[in-house]
Amino acid sequence: MPELEKVTERGVEVPPITGSIAVSFLRVIFGCYFIVTLVVTCVQLFAQYQEAEQRVDQEISAMQLTFGRGIADAMWRFQDDVLGGILAGAVQVPVVVGVVVEDGSAQRVRAVGTIKLGDGRIVQVNATGAEQPMEKKTHLFDRIFSKQFPIVYVDGGGKSRIIGRWTVFSNQRLIFKQVEYSFYLTLINSIVKTAALWFIFLYTIRRWLGRPLTHLSAFVKNLQLDTVGERVFELKTQGRHELHFLADSLNAMLAKLKRSVAEKKDLVRSLQNKQDELLELNQSLESRVLERTSELKDVSAFNEVILQSTSAPVAVYAASGRCVLANEAFATLVGATKEVLLTQNFHQIVSWRESGLLGDALAALKLQTPLHREVKMVTSFGKHLWVEYHIIPTYLKGEDHLLLQLVDLTERKRQEDELRQIAFHDALTKLPNRRLLHDRLERAVRSSKRLKNYGAVLFLDLNKFKQLNDTHGHDVGDALLVEVAHRLQNSVRDCDTVARLGGDEFVVLLEDLGEDLTNAAERAELVADKLRAALSAEYVLGEIHHFGSASIGIKVMGGVDKDDPDQIIKDADAAMYLAKKNMGSGVAFGVR
């Protein structure tokens, strides 16, 4: 098919037609046909070759009957001339190229024709036994092959003896010559049939498929958008087949396209009118946007002034972590300058990560939800703070930002700690007071019941304290109480509680003394003796040297008994008075 020129339609370049579907279709069909024919022909020729090879093998095998007995007799009687004549007759067989006779020790006795030696060399042996080397052929059908027969001599008594062997050599070229004519005939037959079918199919496909498609292509090429639908495509062939349905579908599509073009023109006119209206509206919107942008810039500048001048510590961070704004109050609170803060990135601030502020900041960015929390932290500038932070996600200059506001809670937390200290500790000795002791005693009772073990309460009263206080004054008495508290704390475990009830009365709460009541009482008594020894040592109170002692009452508690904290203290107090009454300075147990 001739190549059609390039067509340009409304600026769109259409590639030229460079091939025929009919020819391509034909190439595929005959390509497959040729491959199948070639495979079948090869199989046929291979079968013929195999048949010829079997026939040659049968002819060589038949030589055992024809020449075997004569070779055996000649060998037995050492008739070399007779043997040579037999071998000369054997090589005259059309399928034979050479014969070798060997004795029982595999020594060659006689050879004629073309033979293959044990080392692979091929030689030509003449009637006198002279060898002439032959060039080794490498052709496809020039391979030497052989078949070997035993030489069996049968004597007059009918006894058989194997006296040697003889080998017949043949050449594949002889086999090929038998099928050569058939090969060429089959090949020519296949080529002729293929060529004939090629031209028949070429004419038929071009006639019934190629020409109609060419006419259809030329019709489509000459279509114009403005005149689409005015002409119809007619297929000039006999009967009706698939191409007629294609032509009908093309004509129906062109009719629809004609209606669509008309509707498109109406739509274009409508859109043109709408475009004019949109241009007017766009100009109005641009004017309003410029006006609004100017107002927003003023508002943004005003907000920045407010943030910079407010007394509340405020900073603004970009989503990347970079600080973009910080007021003076924020810089003062964290112990830095605004210039230094603007160089920071919160991803690199250790205090943000350790206090949880970094995690909340990232969560607020991800969830776009305000977060707040109270934390104790050490700023990157070494300042210890209690703060309440408020993290507010915001949108600034087209990007996500965080507004961070801090409320300084440091002073309030300090005052709360002081109030807590006053409420639960003795102001002089800093020991737990009666209220905190009662709380810990309740907890120890519950633990003792749950674990089914014992504890003890030691109630201590200082002897001669009133005399010292009255003689040397309250300052010396207070110094003695502080020293007593110090000695008591150094004499018990960290898990035990030393409390001051008031005046010169102290209480020691011992927990986890074991599951055996007697053993628990003994351990409590050992602690009491240790406390008495510590309190009996000399006190150096400025220039005053004082020796004191203490009376101690012990109340063992716990196990499965239902102990009441108030009653436990009362029992320990009663035991202390018993010790003071009986020994003046000693240890006594309360009711168990």
Side-chain angles (χ1 to χ4, degrees):
M1 178 180 291
E3 181 178 327
L4 301 179
E5 67 275 10
K6 290 187 177 181
V7 180
T8 302
E9 180 67 26
R10 298 184 181 273
V12 179
E13 188 177 87
V14 181
I17 298 176
T18 58
S20 169
I21 188 172
V23 174
S24 300
F25 182 60
L26 190 62
R27 286 173 180 170
V28 172
I29 292 176
F30 274 91
C32 297
Y33 174 79
F34 177 76
I35 293 174
V36 171
T37 302
L38 181 62
V39 171
V40 171
T41 302
C42 291
V43 171
Q44 182 179 358
L45 292 175
F46 179 75
Q48 292 177 359
Y49 179 84
Q50 290 289 100
E51 182 182 359
E53 188 176 35
Q54 292 177 2
R55 190 165 56 251
V56 169
D57 184 76
Q58 291 173 358
E59 291 180 13
I60 294 176
S61 298
M63 292 178 66
Q64 171 70 1
L65 299 176
T66 305
F67 299 97
R69 187 177 182 86
I71 293 174
D73 289 342
M75 281 281 292
W76 181 257
R77 293 181 174 84
F78 299 100
Q79 297 173 341
D80 187 64
D81 294 339
V82 175
L83 180 61
I86 294 173
L87 296 186
V91 295
Q92 297 303 314
V93 176
V95 296
V96 177
V97 297
V99 180
V100 173
V101 177
E102 298 174 336
D103 59 17
S105 60
Q107 296 296 319
R108 189 171 72 187
V109 176
R110 192 79 180 219
V112 177
T114 303
I115 64 172
K116 187 176 183 180
L117 302 180
D119 57 4
R121 292 183 299 114
I122 298 174
V123 297
Q124 178 72 32
V125 182
N126 57 23
T128 63
E131 297 181 358
Q132 181 180 357
M134 296 184 64
E135 183 181 355
K136 190 174 182 180
K137 303 290 183 68
T138 57
H139 300 302
L140 178 62
F141 296 101
D142 204 25
R143 183 176 65 87
I144 298 293
F145 65 95
S146 63
K147 190 164 187 176
Q148 194 175 81
F149 305 100
I151 301 175
V152 180
Y153 176 75
V154 180
D155 59 13
K159 185 177 180 179
S160 300
R161 292 185 180 85
I162 297 176
I163 59 175
R165 62 186 180 183
W166 64 295
T167 304
V168 179
F169 291 91
S170 185
N171 194 311
Q172 281 186 328
R173 184 174 66 255
L174 301 176
I175 301 175
F176 181 73
K177 284 184 177 180
Q178 296 187 19
V179 298
E180 185 176 9
Y181 176 76
S182 177
F183 170 77
Y184 289 122
L185 184 63
T186 302
L187 182 62
I188 293 172
N189 179 46
S190 299
I191 294 174
V192 170
K193 288 193 295 183
T194 302
L197 287 175
W198 169 271
F199 288 109
I200 292 172
F201 271 89
L202 178 62
Y203 172 78
T204 304
I205 292 178
R206 287 177 62 88
R207 175 69 177 82
W208 294 100
L209 182 62
R211 290 180 183 178
L213 289 179
T214 302
H215 295 158
L216 178 60
S217 176
F219 177 80
V220 173
K221 173 187 173 183
N222 294 323
L223 286 176
Q224 298 293 330
L225 188 60
D226 296 336
T227 60
V228 67
E230 295 179 359
R231 295 173 55 210
V232 295
F233 177 70
E234 295 182 3
L235 193 61
K236 298 178 180 179
T237 58
Q238 296 179 356
R240 285 188 61 82
H241 44 73
E242 290 84 351
L243 292 180
H244 287 89
F245 288 107
L246 177 62
D248 294 342
S249 299
L250 175 62
N251 292 328
M253 182 188 69
L254 293 176
K256 291 181 180 180
L257 183 59
K258 181 179 180 181
R259 292 192 297 271
S260 298
V261 170
E263 294 173 358
K264 179 181 177 182
K265 290 180 179 179
D266 295 338
L267 181 60
V268 168
R269 285 192 295 268
S270 176
L271 290 176
Q272 187 64 42
N273 296 332
K274 294 295 183 181
Q275 184 179 10
D276 296 338
E277 296 176 3
L278 287 175
L279 287 175
E280 295 179 1
L281 181 59
N282 185 50
Q283 292 175 356
S284 175
L285 287 175
E286 287 180 353
S287 176
R288 293 174 61 185
V289 167
L290 290 174
E291 182 180 353
R292 183 59 178 164
T293 301
S294 177
E295 293 176 356
L296 289 176
K297 289 181 179 178
D298 294 340
V299 171
S300 178
F302 181 70
N303 289 338
E304 184 173 350
V305 171
I306 292 175
L307 290 178
Q308 291 286 8
S309 60
T310 183
S311 59
V314 176
V316 178
Y317 289 87
S320 62
R322 183 175 57 88
C323 180
V324 298
L325 185 146
N327 63 7
E328 193 65 39
F330 188 93
T332 301
L333 178 61
V334 299
T337 62
K338 293 194 294 183
E339 290 75 13
V340 173
L341 290 175
L342 293 177
T343 64
Q344 285 190 326
N345 187 299
F346 61 58
H347 289 285
Q348 302 169 353
I349 301 177
V350 177
S351 59
W352 280 51
R353 183 169 57 253
E354 293 178 347
S355 65
L357 177 55
L358 176 60
D360 284 346
L362 297 178
L365 274 172
K366 181 178 179 180
L367 303 176
Q368 290 296 301
T369 303
L371 295 174
H372 66 90
R373 194 188 307 274
E374 290 184 6
V375 295
K376 184 179 182 180
M377 62 187 301
V378 180
T379 70
S380 54
F381 307 100
K383 192 171 181 180
H384 293 259
L385 294 174
W386 261 103
V387 296
E388 177 183 1
Y389 57 76
H390 295 263
I391 305 173
I392 304 172
T394 185
Y395 204 65
L396 181 64
K397 295 181 181 179
E399 297 180 359
D400 288 328
H401 284 71
L402 288 178
L403 177 66
L404 176 62
Q405 181 180 359
L406 300 181
V407 179
D408 189 6
L409 303 178
T410 307
E411 181 61 25
R412 193 187 80 183
K413 293 292 183 179
R414 185 189 64 78
Q415 293 175 358
E416 289 176 356
D417 290 342
E418 290 182 356
L419 291 175
R420 191 177 297 106
Q421 182 73 17
I422 293 171
F424 294 101
H425 292 79
D426 177 54
L428 177 63
T429 61
K430 310 303 180 184
L431 293 176
N433 59 12
R434 183 183 295 272
R435 178 183 298 175
L436 184 55
L437 173 66
H438 191 277
D439 178 70
R440 292 186 180 179
L441 184 55
E442 284 184 339
R443 186 175 60 194
V445 169
R446 291 194 298 270
S447 175
S448 179
K449 290 179 182 179
R450 184 177 67 257
L451 301 176
K452 296 183 181 180
N453 60 14
Y454 291 92
V457 171
L458 280 59
F459 198 106
L460 292 83
D461 183 79
L462 301 180
N463 299 318
K464 301 180 182 180
F465 174 74
K466 187 174 183 305
Q467 180 182 354
L468 175 68
N469 204 36
D470 293 342
T471 302
H472 298 287
H474 293 291
D475 292 341
V476 176
D478 290 345
L480 176 66
L481 294 176
V482 172
E483 178 62 22
V484 168
H486 180 69
R487 293 185 184 186
L488 291 176
Q489 287 178 311
N490 291 337
S491 300
V492 296
R493 300 170 299 179
D494 292 338
C495 62
D496 298 328
T497 299
V498 180
R500 181 189 176 205
L501 300 185
D504 59 349
E505 294 179 338
F506 294 84
V507 172
V508 176
L509 172 61
L510 304 176
E511 298 185 55
D512 193 19
L513 296 180
E515 299 179 358
D516 182 71
L517 177 60
T518 302
N519 186 47
E522 292 176 354
R523 293 179 63 184
E525 188 173 7
L526 289 175
V527 174
D529 292 338
K530 182 178 179 181
L531 296 178
R532 288 181 60 248
L535 297 178
S536 298
E538 181 183 12
Y539 294 90
V540 179
L541 308 172
E543 297 179 356
I544 299 172
H545 293 257
H546 174 72
F547 289 91
S549 61
S551 299
I552 304 176
I554 302 174
K555 168 63 179 177
V556 178
M557 62 174 188
V560 295
D561 297 335
K562 296 181 179 180
D563 294 319
D564 176 62
D566 293 329
Q567 187 61 46
I568 292 173
I569 294 178
K570 289 179 181 180
D571 291 345
D573 188 15
M576 183 274 296
Y577 277 107
L578 180 62
K580 185 182 288 288
K581 179 179 179 181
N582 294 338
M583 292 172 282
S585 171
V587 177
F589 281 93
V591 179
R592 299 185 185 178

